[in-house]
Amino acid sequence: MKQEHEKILFRFHSDLFDEEMVETMWDFVIDKDKGLYKLDNIPFYAPLIASDDLIFAEFDDSEQMLTYKETREYSGNSIIQIVIMDNKTDVNKIRDSFLDKGCQSEKVNDKYFSMEIPFDLNYKPIKTELDKLEIDEIIGYAEPCLSEKHKNDLL
């Protein structure tokens, strides 16, 4: 049986762009009557939310769609935003190198992608690779949603 999906609108302030933004993402329906959904996307820009988080959303008349209200349960996954700084670097090569380490990603364009760090992965070797690529001026990256588990991996 295929699980039902709903598209949900996320409205947030972006520190990166210093403006209000919206992003829509697919979510699994957990309990429609209670407004509970599980995020089935890797967020491109929305901070403080990660794939598999359990969220509460309601229909918003002004938005004319389901709209995120709050996170009810965090998955423990983390989201890293990556910008390719070097014009000679193939974005897919970088994405594939992290996929080999267990990190899926969603590409926005040839210069930007968002990557998921699953809860069960140790973030330390992944961060080491991110830092190396950043020092080499191949990428720049941000950690808009770093779980407590992944923060503790770095201690």
Side-chain angles (χ1 to χ4, degrees):
M1 183 175 134
K2 190 172 179 180
Q3 194 167 8
E4 185 181 354
H5 275 90
E6 290 279 355
K7 200 153 219 185
I8 295 178
L9 180 126
F10 292 75
R11 184 173 289 283
F12 56 93
H13 179 82
S14 169
D15 291 335
L16 179 66
F17 296 103
D18 195 27
E19 64 182 60
E20 291 299 310
M21 295 184 68
V22 296
E23 183 173 353
T24 57
M25 293 181 258
W26 288 105
D27 296 76
F28 289 120
V29 176
I30 302 301
D31 188 329
K32 195 175 253 186
D33 293 335
K34 292 181 181 176
L36 297 177
Y37 303 86
K38 185 179 278 194
L39 187 61
D40 188 36
N41 269 124
I42 298 172
F44 287 130
Y45 302 106
L48 307 176
I49 187 136
S51 44
D52 295 332
D53 284 357
L54 182 67
I55 66 162
F56 173 69
E58 291 180 314
F59 187 83
D60 185 299
D61 289 331
S62 64
E63 302 286 2
Q64 283 299 297
M65 69 182 303
L66 279 172
T67 303
Y68 168 84
K69 299 299 178 189
E70 66 181 14
T71 302
R72 294 280 174 90
E73 187 177 300
Y74 294 96
S75 63
N77 296 334
S78 294
I79 303 297
I80 308 300
Q81 298 167 333
I82 300 173
V83 176
I84 305 297
M85 308 298 280
D86 176 10
N87 289 331
K88 298 176 291 214
T89 299
D90 179 5
V91 66
N92 293 319
K93 184 177 175 190
I94 300 288
R95 290 178 66 216
D96 288 346
S97 74
F98 285 106
L99 183 59
D100 290 344
K101 293 171 177 49
C103 302
Q104 294 187 21
S105 62
E106 294 285 337
K107 181 173 82 169
V108 175
N109 56 41
D110 288 340
K111 293 289 181 191
Y112 179 81
F113 66 97
S114 192
M115 180 172 73
E116 173 191 73
I117 314 297
F119 172 78
D120 58 353
L121 282 186
N122 182 344
Y123 182 50
K124 192 168 191 168
I126 295 162
K127 176 140 174 91
T128 299
E129 181 64 20
L130 288 166
D131 287 344
K132 180 184 179 311
L133 290 167
E134 189 169 58
I135 288 167
D136 292 344
E137 298 181 353
I138 294 170
I139 68 162
Y141 75 95
E143 301 166 320
C145 183
L146 195 59
S147 72
E148 287 303 313
K149 189 265 185 198
H150 291 135
K151 288 176 187 173
N152 289 334
D153 288 346
L154 301 175
L155 299 177

